[in-house]
Amino acid sequence: MLYLWVKAFHIVAIVCWFAGLFYLPRLFVYHAQSEDTVSKERFSVMERKLYRGIMGPAMLATLVFGIWLIVLNPGIFQSGAWIHAKLTLVVLLIGYHHMCGAQVKRFARGENTRSHVFYRWFNEVPVLMLLAIVILVVVKPF
């Protein structure tokens, strides 16, 4: 029963983390398009609060509950290569998360050099990662 509770909280944490991973790059799009100081400052505050107040804690909760699931079921590593692929994508997603954090700081310092078009494409990365992770976990193709 403990395993199911941990899994439930893991899924909730994932949903919260991905909400931020989807929304923050969208804020970058709008921030890159803004021209007045008031808008730029407002976007910087929104980005910082989202990153620090929601995304960071959600990522940590996702990792804590995910590691707890592995501790409760270490045999999962013998269930196929899908788990290794999934964990590789999670590591890449953590890297993406930190890239977002670096970009939050660049925007706050007024040092953004990228266009809104770049951020529109950048915004698609977590979508592709989520798609791949869900397919790996549900379908277990290998």
Side-chain angles (χ1 to χ4, degrees):
M1 190 62 149
L2 175 63
Y3 187 84
L4 295 177
W5 278 102
V6 174
K7 188 185 233 182
F9 286 118
H10 179 63
I11 292 168
V12 170
I14 291 167
V15 170
C16 294
W17 187 24
F18 268 95
L21 289 171
F22 291 153
Y23 188 49
L24 184 61
R26 178 54 49 181
L27 288 176
F28 294 160
V29 170
Y30 301 140
H31 196 158
Q33 288 178 316
S34 66
E35 296 177 7
D36 61 292
T37 304
V38 173
S39 294
K40 289 180 182 185
E41 289 174 1
R42 182 176 299 124
F43 281 119
S44 286
V45 169
M46 291 170 67
E47 291 158 359
R48 180 180 38 91
K49 286 183 176 184
L50 176 61
Y51 186 76
R52 290 186 186 168
I54 296 172
M55 291 173 64
M59 179 187 71
L60 289 175
T62 297
L63 296 175
V64 166
F65 289 119
I67 291 167
W68 196 354
L69 288 171
I70 291 169
V71 168
L72 291 173
N73 183 18
I76 196 163
F77 289 109
Q78 280 73 45
S79 64
W82 68 270
I83 187 69
H84 301 284
K86 178 217 174 190
L87 292 175
T88 299
L89 290 174
V90 170
V91 168
L92 293 173
L93 200 56
I94 292 167
Y96 179 86
H97 174 98
H98 289 292
M99 287 174 61
C100 286
Q103 195 56 47
V104 166
K105 291 176 184 175
R106 276 190 213 99
F107 269 117
R109 293 189 307 261
E111 297 173 357
N112 175 54
T113 58
R114 296 185 170 120
S115 74
H116 67 94
V117 175
F118 170 83
Y119 294 112
R120 289 179 194 280
W121 285 103
F122 185 72
N123 193 36
E124 300 307 318
V125 172
V127 174
L128 298 174
M129 297 274 225
L130 179 62
L131 180 65
I133 289 169
V134 169
I135 288 170
L136 286 168
V137 171
V138 174
V139 178
K140 297 177 178 63
F142 46 86

